[in-house]
Amino acid sequence: MRLDGKTAIVTGAGSGFGAGIARKFAAEGAHVIVADINSDAASSIAREISGTPCTVDVANRASVQAMIDLTLQRHSQIDIVINNAGVTHLPAPMDTISEDDFDRVFAVNCKSVYLIAQAVIPHMKANKSGNILNVASTAGVSPRPNLSWYNASKGWMNTATKSMAVELAPFGIRVNALNPVAGETPLLASFMGEDTPERRAQFLSTIPIGRFSTPEDMGNAACYLCSDEASMITGVCMEVDGGRCI
């Protein structure tokens, strides 16, 4: 019960890594706001873990504010925010990616962190405590060809994490990030371009431990970084990647 009594918002919690984080946090005693743009997915995970479903578009200011308002109405406090929602563009040469795809990637992966920070940081400052965890990617640490703008968005998240951590530390707010390698999530096929045994084998050959990141891996790492056990850790971009970035 390392998160007993804490309230946590997890975006993109309807599937994949976000669902794994939501499940782990609930098991450790947190009240979880299961936030996702897919209402049915959010409701399904919320029912499973006795959490609160919330439909949100993390790239929209009004939608983000509604998520914060709902959380405060239900629980009166926000202790943890997991910025997990993310999208990618299909693998292709950087000069062929459409402007719409570029804008979507940066809106969901980067602008969302900005909007959520503006909405939740005043509350955390007032309480002189809080945890923000940004889910980035090994793509932002060791980029692959043909995912250039996705890589850049995740590199942005890592830099934002360190900057946020330095600025917010005097207010008792810790900010960290996770950098997972590709995992069994809805985005896997998009990363690979096609989901075939050959493409999976090619990806797995770059991971020394020999497997993808799992939602459980992410839940365990997120739980540690957001628990009091990590009270001296801020500004860390932890690689949960089986050695991929070595």
Side-chain angles (χ1 to χ4, degrees):
M1 302 298 284
R2 287 180 289 172
L3 304 178
D4 189 32
K6 296 186 182 295
T7 299
I9 296 171
V10 183
T11 69
S15 63
F17 292 153
I21 293 170
R23 290 185 179 107
K24 177 65 174 180
F25 278 31
E28 293 286 347
H31 307 292
V32 181
I33 307 300
V34 182
D36 203 287
I37 198 167
N38 185 323
S39 300
D40 291 340
S43 295
S44 177
I45 297 296
R47 283 194 300 271
E48 176 189 333
I49 66 172
S50 299
T52 301
C54 176
T55 305
V56 64
D57 176 356
V58 294
N60 179 277
R61 183 181 295 276
S63 186
V64 165
Q65 188 61 55
M67 175 181 69
I68 300 301
D69 292 343
L70 170 67
T71 306
L72 292 176
Q73 289 167 8
R74 294 291 182 90
H75 300 290
S76 76
Q77 66 181 29
I78 300 172
D79 301 292
I80 301 166
V81 173
I82 311 294
N83 287 311
N84 169 75
V87 296
T88 185
H89 56 79
L90 293 175
M94 67 176 70
D95 52 316
T96 68
I97 302 300
S98 72
E99 186 173 354
D100 285 346
D101 279 347
F102 176 91
D103 287 345
R104 178 170 175 264
V105 165
F106 275 81
V108 176
N109 295 359
C110 302
K111 186 180 180 182
S112 63
V113 177
Y114 159 76
L115 292 176
I116 290 173
Q118 286 206 324
V120 78
I121 284 173
H123 170 78
M124 289 182 169
K125 282 182 174 179
N127 287 344
K128 297 183 179 179
S129 69
N131 270 285
I132 298 172
L133 182 66
N134 298 321
V135 177
S137 169
T138 54
V141 180
S142 179
R144 295 179 183 273
N146 295 325
L147 283 172
S148 285
W149 308 123
Y150 173 76
N151 298 338
S153 74
K154 292 303 187 176
W156 182 98
M157 289 185 79
N158 284 325
T159 300
T161 295
K162 292 178 180 293
S163 183
M164 293 169 72
V166 170
E167 182 172 334
L168 296 176
F171 300 96
I173 302 167
R174 295 191 295 111
V175 187
N176 292 293
L178 294 177
N179 285 304
V181 74
E184 295 282 358
T185 75
L187 288 182
L188 180 60
S190 296
F191 290 136
M192 296 192 299
E194 57 178 347
D195 191 352
T196 65
E198 293 76 19
R199 287 294 289 160
R200 284 185 175 236
Q202 183 180 1
F203 261 66
L204 288 171
S205 70
T206 69
I207 305 171
I209 279 183
R211 66 173 178 83
F212 293 121
S213 295
T214 68
E216 291 75 20
D217 293 326
M218 293 294 287
N220 291 334
C223 181
Y224 169 66
L225 288 176
C226 293
S227 74
D228 292 341
E229 296 170 18
S231 62
M232 191 58 174
I233 298 176
T234 195
V236 165
C237 299
M238 180 186 289
E239 294 156 16
V240 186
D241 68 346
R244 157 76 172 83
C245 289
I246 296 172

